[in-house]
Amino acid sequence: MTKLVQLAAGTALATAMAVPAMAETWDMPMAYAASNFHSEVGANFGACVTEGTGGELEIVTHPSGSLFSGNEIKRAVQTGQANIGERLISAHQNENPLYGVDSIPFLVSSFDEHEKLWEVAGPKVAEVLEEDNLHYLYSVPWPPQGLYFRDPVESVEDMKGVKFRSYSTATARLAELTGMLPVQIEAAEISQAFATGVADSMISSGSTGYDRKVWEHLNHFYVVDAWLPRNVVFVNKDAWDGLDDATKAVLNDCAATAKTEGLQRSKDYTDFTLDGLREGGMTVEPASDTLMGQLKEIGATMTDEWLETAGEDGKAIVDAYKAAN
């Protein structure tokens, strides 16, 4: 009888060893439409991980805020409700000023400048994310931010009292300093907000306006190149620590590919989407010299305010960036 038990136990152990580890699925919430280039890059990243791990780790993206709304994504990944997610990191500047380093007005106004800033700032942002139980994987910049309005704007005086879509500390402060009225609106709610008159303006890239067909409600886009915010993809730190080295290597390799792809697509998408706004019937043009001068004065005020709240780490980032350029 003992021999039979031993034989059965040995057979069960051999069988268990022969069965591959259970495949795991990670749901990846994303705030923007499936057609947005960030979402497409994220889907490609997920497919890369799934293929690279032989299906042992499958990453499934959920765009348009369909799993968690934009303002819920970071918290959901921090707490393990989702293992991975993508978020516009400057939306969390109220939690830590360093999250808003990519939204300092007019510190950088081009892709090349922004990438140089991120070389300095990225590692610091990753450290802050670690403190929030998040592991940084990769990030992709948006095209330069411009101003959308229903009516023509020639100076800051024309902006007073206008309802302005806000999505971060920086955008809310911009509204305050220009006399506009900030209204918190997530990306998935933009079309409805403009259609119902909840908002009449916003600062965003041509990409967002094109994706949401804002020409149906707004008439003017002013090229000001105020800043280039980034979407960051991060993993719950406990989930990351639970991965074996081979799986981590696949994630890192796929993240590097996604970063490169995303940057190029953001560059390519800039002119395409501005042309799309024109084709939709919007007037797309540079802001007037008067407006640009006023906005840069406001940008200088916001820069000083950010440096004051960001402390030594923030000053070190800005000083290092300026010294390298």
Side-chain angles (χ1 to χ4, degrees):
M1 186 70 179
T2 301
K3 289 182 178 180
L4 287 173
V5 172
Q6 290 175 339
L7 178 61
T11 302
L13 178 60
T15 301
M17 292 177 66
V19 174
M22 183 71 70
E24 189 173 358
T25 298
W26 284 7
D27 292 307
M28 180 174 171
M30 308 183 81
Y32 298 89
S35 59
N36 182 271
F37 75 95
H38 281 288
S39 300
E40 292 177 345
V41 169
N44 291 342
F45 164 77
C48 177
V49 172
T50 302
E51 181 180 355
T53 61
E56 291 302 315
L57 176 60
E58 180 183 14
I59 293 181
V60 179
T61 58
H62 298 268
S64 297
S66 57
L67 187 60
F68 292 99
S69 63
N71 61 350
E72 297 173 331
I73 290 174
K74 179 174 176 285
R75 174 62 59 182
V77 180
Q78 277 183 251
T79 57
Q81 297 175 70
N83 283 328
I84 186 171
E86 179 191 65
R87 178 61 170 148
L88 180 76
I89 199 61
S90 58
H92 297 278
Q93 183 178 337
N94 61 319
E95 299 172 20
N96 191 304
L98 293 187
Y99 286 145
V101 68
D102 60 5
S103 299
I104 301 173
F106 305 107
L107 176 61
V108 301
S109 295
S110 70
F111 284 104
D112 288 344
E113 291 174 350
H114 182 73
E115 288 306 298
K116 291 176 182 177
L117 173 64
W118 196 250
E119 286 177 9
V120 179
K124 288 290 186 183
V125 174
E127 289 177 9
V128 177
L129 287 168
E130 287 282 330
E131 294 171 4
D132 284 346
N133 198 42
L134 296 167
H135 176 78
Y136 174 91
L137 268 186
Y138 74 91
S139 62
V140 173
W142 286 91
Q145 305 290 283
L147 286 164
Y148 291 84
F149 287 96
R150 195 181 302 273
D151 300 315
V153 170
E154 293 296 324
S155 68
V156 166
E157 285 67 32
D158 296 331
M159 299 162 71
K160 296 188 185 303
V162 173
K163 290 175 285 186
F164 179 80
R165 178 230 171 182
S166 169
Y167 60 82
S168 66
T169 300
T171 53
R173 184 61 176 147
L174 177 65
E176 292 170 1
L177 291 171
T178 55
M180 294 189 288
L181 306 175
V183 184
Q184 182 72 28
I185 298 169
E186 288 295 327
E189 304 163 348
I190 287 175
S191 298
Q192 182 179 4
F194 289 139
T196 56
V198 171
D200 297 307
S201 64
M202 68 176 177
I203 187 166
S204 194
S205 68
S207 172
T208 299
Y210 179 79
D211 290 342
R212 296 296 172 182
K213 299 180 180 179
V214 298
W215 56 79
E216 295 176 352
H217 312 290
L218 306 181
N219 301 310
H220 299 272
F221 179 85
Y222 294 102
V223 178
V224 298
D225 295 345
W227 62 76
L228 292 81
R230 293 182 85 94
N231 279 11
V232 172
V233 173
F234 39 63
V235 177
N236 176 276
K237 190 172 182 301
D238 298 324
W240 174 261
D241 291 342
L243 298 174
D244 59 43
D245 289 343
T247 303
K248 288 179 180 178
V250 171
L251 279 161
N252 285 332
D253 288 345
C254 291
T257 299
K259 175 186 175 183
T260 300
E261 177 193 355
L263 175 59
Q264 188 58 53
R265 292 190 64 171
S266 188
K267 291 178 178 180
D268 294 342
Y269 213 39
T270 300
D271 291 338
F272 172 81
T273 53
L274 293 184
D275 287 342
L277 296 179
R278 292 186 183 95
E279 291 171 6
M282 294 190 73
T283 299
V284 178
E285 61 186 353
S288 69
D289 291 342
T290 298
L291 180 58
M292 280 302 302
Q294 293 171 326
L295 289 175
K296 287 191 175 182
E297 288 179 7
I298 289 170
T301 297
M302 291 177 63
T303 299
D304 290 342
E305 291 175 348
W306 184 86
L307 285 169
E308 184 175 346
T309 60
E312 289 302 315
D313 283 342
K315 183 177 184 301
I317 290 171
V318 173
D319 287 349
Y321 166 72
K322 289 183 175 180
N325 294 278

